[in-house]
């Protein structure tokens, strides 16, 4: 199982950078997952890949123990895009990239590979539908080959992950000035075992 194949695949998909890290560098913090509920993300409770329907941080910490490595990737994105609705297109790209790397990882022998992404799949893929089929009808996801669980919904500290990857990361909020902070990033990952 050659990790370089996965890294080359990620770079071929257009990521700004990708690195493989030991899985134990992933910091999971309960309060980060709680932010989905309060102040309330628009995706909260709306999709099977978001809280409260994903693993709680304590459960995810236990699940993480079965993984040896994580492939982390990022897209560098202008702050003005991150502050606009265009960020949803980048978030979709993160989901699709995580899914593609996950698929290749499974094909190359990582039997437990699992992709995680940025943002709510409901907002990204199913905004025009009233409900998530998985939640409303116990049905199948409309986008099973693209939609992935939310990293923040699991309590993953993306700032610590970026630091471990050697990527500078600025906190961007609605008060951020693109002149002062011209670039940000959106990240995803694939757990490998």
């Amino acid at each position: 199982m050659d990790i370089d194949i996965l890294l080359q695949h990620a770079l071929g998909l257009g990521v700004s950078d990708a690195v493989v890290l030991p899985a134990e560098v992933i910091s999971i913090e309960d309060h980060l997952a709680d932010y989905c509920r309060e102040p309330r993300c628009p995706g909260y409770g709306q999709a099977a890949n978001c809280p409260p329907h994903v693993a709680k941080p304590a459960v995810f910490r236990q699940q993480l123990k079965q993984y040896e490595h994580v492939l982390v990737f990022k897209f560098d994105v202008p702050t003005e895009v991150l502050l606009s609705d265009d960020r949803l297109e980048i978030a979709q790209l993160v989901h699709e990239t995580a899914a593609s790397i996950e698929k290749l990882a499974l094909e190359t022998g990582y039997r437990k590979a699992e992709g995680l992404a940025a943002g709510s799949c409901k907002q990204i893929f199913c905004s025009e539908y009233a409900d998530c089929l998985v939640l409303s009808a116990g049905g199948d996801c409309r986008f099973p080959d693209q939609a992935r669980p939310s990293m923040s919904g699991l309590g993953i500290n993306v700032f610590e992950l970026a630091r471990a990857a050697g990527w500078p990361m600025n906190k961007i909020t609605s008060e951020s000035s693109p002149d002062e902070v011209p670039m940000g990033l959106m990240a995803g990952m694939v757990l490998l075992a």
Side-chain angles (χ1 to χ4, degrees), residues 66-111:
Q66 67 184 315
Y67 292 97
E68 299 169 24
H69 296 96
V70 59
L71 185 151
V72 185
F73 62 89
K74 69 167 180 159
F75 289 95
D76 292 325
V77 184
T79 298
E80 61 191 32
V81 172
L82 292 173
L83 294 173
S84 74
D85 287 340
D86 292 341
R87 74 184 175 287
L88 296 176
E89 291 178 30
I90 306 300
Q92 180 175 341
L93 183 59
V94 173
H95 277 254
E96 292 169 347
T97 302
S100 180
I101 297 167
E102 173 191 296
K103 182 177 186 246
L104 180 60
L106 290 166
E107 291 170 356
T108 57
Y110 293 96
R111 295 186 325 268

Side-chain angles (χ1 to χ4, degrees), residues 180-193:
E180 293 174 18
V181 183
M183 293 293 284
L185 68 85
M186 290 189 84
M189 67 168 64
V190 179
L191 299 168
L192 300 171

Side-chain angles (χ1 to χ4, degrees), residues 2-22:
D2 190 350
I3 287 178
D4 287 336
I5 292 170
L6 299 178
L7 287 169
Q8 290 305 315
H9 180 68
L11 293 170
L13 293 171
V15 302
S16 301
D17 196 14
V19 297
V20 174
L21 302 169

Side-chain angles (χ1 to χ4, degrees), residues 55-193:
K56 304 276 186 262
V59 172
F60 185 61
R61 273 188 209 93
Q62 292 303 312
Q63 293 172 344
L64 192 57
K65 291 178 181 178
Q66 67 184 315
Y67 292 97
E68 299 169 24
H69 296 96
V70 59
L71 185 151
V72 185
F73 62 89
K74 69 167 180 159
F75 289 95
D76 292 325
V77 184
T79 298
E80 61 191 32
V81 172
L82 292 173
L83 294 173
S84 74
D85 287 340
D86 292 341
R87 74 184 175 287
L88 296 176
E89 291 178 30
I90 306 300
Q92 180 175 341
L93 183 59
V94 173
H95 277 254
E96 292 169 347
T97 302
S100 180
I101 297 167
E102 173 191 296
K103 182 177 186 246
L104 180 60
L106 290 166
E107 291 170 356
T108 57
Y110 293 96
R111 295 186 325 268
K112 295 180 184 176
E114 182 178 358
L116 305 173
S120 169
C121 62
K122 173 72 168 82
Q123 292 178 295
I124 296 165
F125 296 104
C126 292
S127 61
E128 72 273 13
Y129 299 103
D131 296 314
C132 167
L133 276 180
V134 177
L135 298 180
S136 67
D140 294 329
C141 175
R142 291 179 180 98
F143 298 92
D145 295 333
Q146 298 166 308
R148 292 295 173 266
S150 164
M151 292 191 311
S152 57
L154 294 166
I156 294 171
N157 185 325
V158 178
F159 284 91
E160 290 297 321
L161 193 61
R163 187 174 296 121
W167 302 330
M169 185 172 174
N170 298 305
K171 184 173 185 177
I172 296 174
T173 68
S174 59
E175 287 83 39
S176 296
S177 166
D179 292 333
E180 293 174 18
V181 183
M183 293 293 284
L185 68 85
M186 290 189 84
M189 67 168 64
V190 179
L191 299 168
L192 300 171

